[in-house]
Structure formats: C-alpha cells, structure tokens
Amino acid sequence: MTGGAGAGHRAAYFAFDRFPSSKGSAVHIAQMADELFASFGGGLLGVLGGGGLPRYQREGDREIARFDAQIPNLIDRAEAFSGWVADHLEPHRETLEVCHVRDPWSALPVVALPGRRRVVYEVNGLPSIEMAHTWPWASKAALGKIRELERFCLERSDAVVVPSRVIGAAVRGLGVPEERIRLVPNGADVRERPERPSGAPERYLVYVGALQPWQGLDVLMRAFARLADLEGLRLVVCASVPERRAKPVRRMAERLGVAGRVDWRFALPHHEVAAWLAHAEVSVAPLTGCARNLDQGCAPLKVIESMAAGVPVVASDLPAVRELMADGEHGRLVPADRPAELARAVRILLEYPEEAAAMGERARRRIADGLTWAHSRAELASVYRAVMAGGRDARSARDVPDTPGAGRDVPGARDARNAGAGAAHRAER
Amino acid sequence: MTPCIVTTGFFVLGRCGRQAVTSCPQCGRAVCAQHAAPQSGHCPECMAAHGYGSQNPFDPSWTGGYRRRFYERSSQTYSDTYWYSSFDEFDRGAFNPGDDYSYGEGDFGPDDGTGFVDS
C-alpha cells in the first residue's frame, strides 16, 4: 500500500452521506471537515459518491474518497461502507491522530482499529430513532441492535459532538458521560442581501428543506389552504431532494386545492436557496411533534439560515427550535401539528410588515452575534484541542476488551467485499 | 487546446480547464501539468485509487493483498459473530428499498445519496 496514498494523513472524516449535495447535511460536512483539515494540515474525507462524482479527488493536502457501490439494502450497504472505511484507514494507520465520524457504521471500523487514536463522534441524529420513521417496517429488535451498535461506538469515542441540547440529552440517555459531550451548534453565514431570484412571485412564503414526514409539510399545506383568501400570496417549496421524491406532498397539495398556488424548486444549489429565503415574506419550519424531533432532537438549518437571511420565521414550538429562536423576538413559535395556529401566525405577520421586518432584523443580528459558522468552527477547533490534549490514560481506562485475549480487528474486508454479492443474492430471491 | 478535465473543488465542484499536457495512462483523461503525477502522468483520481489498492476481486493484484491481510488479521479476529451476523435476514428485510411504505428511497436511483440521518 504505497505510492498513491502518499504521506499518511493525520486526520480523517467519514460520513455515510453524499458529498457535495444540496442537502443541509452537506453544508454541515463542508464546514466541519474544513475545520478538521485546517487544524491538522489536510486529511482524508470519506463520503458517499455516485451521481457522477469522481471516486477520488485530491485538493492540495486533502483527499476525498467516495464510496459508490450500488447495494440496494441499506444495512448491507452500511456494512459494506464500514469495510470500505476500514480499507481506507489502513494506509494511514501509523499517522492517523484524529478520526471524526458521523454515524455508527463509520465509527465502527474506527473504534475497532488497533492502536490509539482520538475519535470525535458527531451525533446529528440517532439512526436507532430516526430509522423508525424512515423505515416503518424495521422491527423493534433490529432498531435495538442499531442502538446497541451506537452505544458500542459512543462509549469508545473521546468526544461526542452534538448540535443541540436535545440531542445531547438523547446521547446522555445512551450512557455517555456529561463531560464527554460537547455542544457545537449549527451555524449560517450572514451575507449581503442577494438578488431577487428570477421568476420569484410578488409575495410568497418559503419552505426550505427535505420532505420527510417529520418536516410537517402536511401541516404547512393545510395551513396554506386556510390562507386562500390572501390575494397573490404563493408558497415556494425549495426541496433539497429530487423531484420524484415530492410525489406524496404534491398529491396532497392537489387534494387540498392549493397546488395552483405552490411553486416547486428542486435540489437548488445553496446560494440560490439563500436568495429565495431573503426575499420571502415569511419562512416556515412546521416540524411535527414526533419522536424524531422530540426524543432524538434536531438542529434545523432551515431555521438558522432563514434567520441569517433576515426573514421572520414561523416554526413549531419544540425544545430543539426554542434553543435557536425566541417567540415574538425572531419570529413566531406555534404548537406543532396545528395547521390553524400556523395559518393564524403567518396571517398576523403578514398584517404587520414593520413588526415582521423588525423580527427578521433581530434574527439576523442574533445569528451574527453567536450562531455563524465561524463560531461553530471555533467551538469544534477547541474540541479537537481538548481531545488531543486529553490524557491517554483516560482513554485506555475506557478501553474495555470485549472478549478476553481477543484484540479488535477491523471488520474484515471479507465482509465488505462480499456484502455486495450477498446483497445481490438477496435481491434475486 | 484540450482542457484538463480533472474535477476540482471541495464543496463546489468544477473542472480544472487548464491546457492539458498528457493523458492519464490508466483512464485516458486529459491532464494538465499541475495535475499529472510527476513520472507516470497519472491523473489524481487514479493515483489516489492506486494508494488504496484494488477494490476489485478480479484484479490479480487484489488476491495477493487479500491473502496477506487475511493471514495478518486472522491472528486477531474481529468478533465477526458479534456485529456482522447480528443483523439477521429478518432485520435486514425491513431496509429493502421499494417495499411498500419505505419512505424516501422508493427506488435505488443515481440521485439517492441518502444517509441514515436524512436532513
């Protein structure tokens, strides 16, 4: 294993997520990985590829490797990714000092790698909670095994980074001690007001983000149906997902009779979304009150980015949102899953444009004063410093040998290489 | 002029576009002086891939590395039976795309970069 891998990297960042993409997670990965590589003089970024992205890229002292095996079953794919991560750690084993991971399947080969290195585990969500929503057929037993895997990786990490206090509480619930959990909030960049996007309606509400059930698009559509009397008001949905994933939501809009007043934009690049936000009357974040948002928690970038754009936000009154904005100061918080309440709050904001503009301005200031990416990155850099300074004794005290006499090896490349074949067999059956 | 078609950029990707001086002996893409490897003229993508060894079981170089790693690692077995067989057929079945009600990943298309935590 010589030649191409060149000098071993000191840092690596792994995420089971496509990068770059139009999703909020990609923005987050870009900021976090950038900070990691700035702190350690470059490094290796291991992410998902496909969709025409190159398999390997070199940018100066940074290397991007992308996993693009087409394995339909998610668990099979995740395990194959684990093996792939193990393979990509191998050439850097001697030099690696810090590994930053975002999910249990990236973390597993890292925490299982023999030798000593620091692991920073960034928890933006817990698959054991969130997958119950995305994969309704998943059994309690299967989710329990995923939770076990999370616990296994979390207890072997040196620092656990969370973007919100609610997620911090969920991680504490998995048995991670308080002193190892570090809050690094999400951020946004406060920029000059961008040009009005071409084709933008005169007055519009905006929703930005993905379209899963917990985002509350159904609540928003119902609320919008109640605003039918407002002349010329339109709703712009800037979805971060491709068009074919919007089918259920569009059908619902048709049923409610609002489809004619809704404009759709799909997978826009980040700077275009900023323009749509900046010129909206109100930005809406109607997150539902489900386990994913309440027990696991979230740190909705859509709220932070709307605030940074200086547009008043109407959002659901959830603990995770309350961390970011205050009711009546930066926008309005309304009870989750209540279309009538949501519609009323929007209507009142539209009635009082000066007050709404003042809220937008206050929101913008709040971001500028403490929630920019620069703030988050400074926090993260301090986490890295603390982790590097942390005594090795603390780490070794935590190293529980799993089975007496058996060191841990990386999940065998065997599994990884056969995972694809196995999945193919399963698909045929 | 033939432009160099190496992908560049971190969050916003683009093509290099400088004057190409050679073509990569492995994949044949046009590479400029900055991106070509000093002696061999490989493009950065092939160079990096080379560093991680072959991932293709049909590649002759894969066999040697695999055999060596197998014997290196068999002395310290990762407790395979622990995680890697812990998800049984029943557990996995729920995560097949395209089943009824599987939200989001209705089919496994080229634009599905879905992670576990899909925001």
Side-chain angles (χ1 to χ4, degrees):
Chain A
M1 291 261 186
T2 51
H9 291 301
R10 290 173 57 210
Y13 186 112
F14 289 104
F16 190 84
D17 221 317
R18 176 177 297 178
F19 179 86
S21 79
S22 56
K23 291 191 335 188
S25 56
V27 177
H28 194 264
I29 292 171
Q31 296 287 347
M32 299 278 144
D34 200 37
E35 186 58 43
L36 175 68
F37 299 155
S39 306
F40 290 89
L44 168 69
L45 174 66
V47 285
L48 295 187
L53 292 167
R55 201 167 281 180
Y56 289 98
Q57 244 185 291
R58 285 224 174 131
E59 295 298 321
D61 50 12
R62 297 172 182 198
E63 194 167 53
I64 308 176
R66 295 188 179 90
F67 172 81
D68 56 2
Q70 295 259 315
I71 302 168
N73 184 289
L74 181 64
I75 299 286
D76 293 342
R77 191 158 75 246
E79 289 184 355
F81 179 73
S82 272
W84 177 90
V85 168
D87 284 340
H88 282 72
L89 284 168
E90 198 62 34
H92 310 294
R93 225 162 101 168
E94 300 307 314
T95 51
L96 212 53
E97 293 170 30
V98 170
C99 263
H100 186 131
V101 291
R102 256 178 85 103
D103 55 78
W105 280 277
S106 307
L108 183 60
V110 175
V111 298
L113 195 63
R116 285 273 171 272
R117 65 199 50 70
R118 304 286 189 262
V119 182
V120 176
Y121 191 151
E122 179 195 326
V123 179
N124 293 291
L126 294 162
S128 59
I129 297 176
E130 186 152 314
M131 280 165 138
H133 291 270
T134 33
W135 302 91
W137 287 114
S139 62
K140 281 248 184 325
L143 293 170
K145 287 173 187 174
I146 294 171
R147 186 165 312 118
E148 229 14 78
L149 178 62
E150 281 164 0
R151 201 193 305 273
F152 178 89
C153 296
L154 282 166
E155 70 183 7
R156 283 164 181 72
S157 302
D158 297 273
V160 179
V161 169
V162 294
S164 92
R165 289 192 194 87
V166 183
I167 298 182
V171 170
R172 251 197 323 280
L174 282 170
V176 179
E178 182 70 52
E179 66 273 10
R180 248 191 285 152
I181 301 174
R182 297 287 302 266
L183 180 70
V184 177
N186 276 334
D189 289 322
V190 178
R191 290 212 174 85
E192 288 301 299
R193 194 175 160 91
E195 292 280 303
R196 197 176 177 83
S198 61
E202 192 60 38
R203 294 173 80 217
Y204 63 94
L205 314 177
V206 71
Y207 169 85
V208 170
L211 308 176
Q212 308 94 333
W214 61 74
Q215 304 280 14
L217 264 293
D218 52 338
V219 182
L220 174 56
M221 292 297 170
R222 289 202 168 90
F224 195 56
R226 290 165 177 265
L227 299 172
D229 57 310
L230 296 175
E231 277 306 311
L233 181 72
R234 297 185 70 82
L235 168 65
V236 176
V237 178
C238 295
S240 59
V241 296
E243 184 156 2
R244 61 184 179 74
R245 305 254 299 253
K247 245 186 244 158
V249 186
R250 292 180 96 159
R251 268 207 302 272
M252 172 163 204
E254 274 161 30
R255 270 207 316 277
L256 292 166
V258 297
R261 296 185 291 128
V262 180
D263 295 320
W264 295 86
R265 295 286 183 282
F266 295 99
L268 291 178
H270 197 220
H271 64 272
E272 285 183 35
V273 173
W276 281 101
L277 277 172
H279 292 273
E281 303 288 319
V282 170
S283 168
V284 196
L287 294 153
T288 63
C290 60
R292 187 261 176 190
N293 294 335
L294 289 171
D295 303 350
Q296 168 195 283
C298 52
L301 267 176
K302 59 171 76 60
V303 172
I304 302 178
E305 289 186 353
S306 304
M307 289 167 77
V311 52
V313 187
V314 176
S316 297
D317 193 5
L318 306 175
V321 180
R322 241 176 283 150
E323 284 177 41
L324 304 172
M325 56 179 284
D327 185 27
E329 194 175 343
H330 313 111
R332 294 306 312 277
L333 292 175
V334 297
D337 305 297
R338 295 282 183 278
E341 299 270 2
L342 181 65
R344 203 163 58 124
V346 171
R347 192 184 288 274
I348 292 172
L349 276 183
L350 294 173
E351 288 284 328
Y352 296 95
E354 297 84 11
E355 186 50 37
M359 281 180 181
E361 199 39 54
R362 282 196 293 267
R364 199 177 159 91
R365 255 205 312 278
R366 161 149 167 73
I367 299 294
D369 292 348
L371 276 174
T372 59
W373 279 120
H375 287 96
S376 315
R377 292 177 57 151
E379 275 299 317
L380 187 66
S382 81
V383 172
Y384 291 141
R385 276 197 301 276
V387 162
M388 292 310 290
R392 276 158 195 271
D393 346 327
R395 176 72 211 266
S396 45
R398 278 209 313 281
D399 259 333
V400 213
D402 300 79
T403 44
R408 316 277 301 162
D409 185 17
V410 283
R414 235 174 352 179
D415 303 83
R417 298 212 167 90
N418 295 340
H425 285 309
R426 266 187 282 276
E428 280 162 23
R429 277 208 301 277
Chain B
M1 128 175 178
T2 338
C4 165
I5 54 167
V6 169
T7 306
T8 59
F10 186 67
F11 185 50
V12 179
L13 302 184
R15 295 262 185 256
C16 162
R18 293 193 198 93
Q19 171 83 44
V21 293
T22 174
S23 67
C24 170
Q26 198 160 332
C27 63
R29 75 180 63 175
V31 203
C32 67
Q34 255 93 346
H35 280 125
Q39 279 90 32
S40 60
H42 280 88
C43 70
E45 191 173 343
C46 292
M47 275 311 276
H50 180 69
Y52 291 108
S54 170
Q55 311 279 324
N56 173 13
F58 300 102
D59 187 328
S61 70
W62 180 82
T63 330
Y66 182 82
R67 191 182 300 125
R68 192 185 67 244
R69 273 196 307 275
F70 178 82
Y71 286 115
E72 267 178 15
R73 285 177 183 174
S74 58
S75 59
Q76 26 158 244
T77 316
Y78 178 78
S79 39
D80 253 335
T81 49
Y82 190 24
W83 290 124
Y84 279 73
S85 57
S86 68
F87 290 102
D88 55 30
E89 208 62 7
F90 176 69
D91 294 331
R92 289 168 200 269
F95 296 96
N96 283 322
D99 287 355
D100 286 352
Y101 304 119
S102 71
Y103 183 81
E105 292 195 282
D107 42 5
F108 189 68
D111 50 4
D112 275 321
T114 315
F116 305 110
V117 179
D118 184 18
S119 54

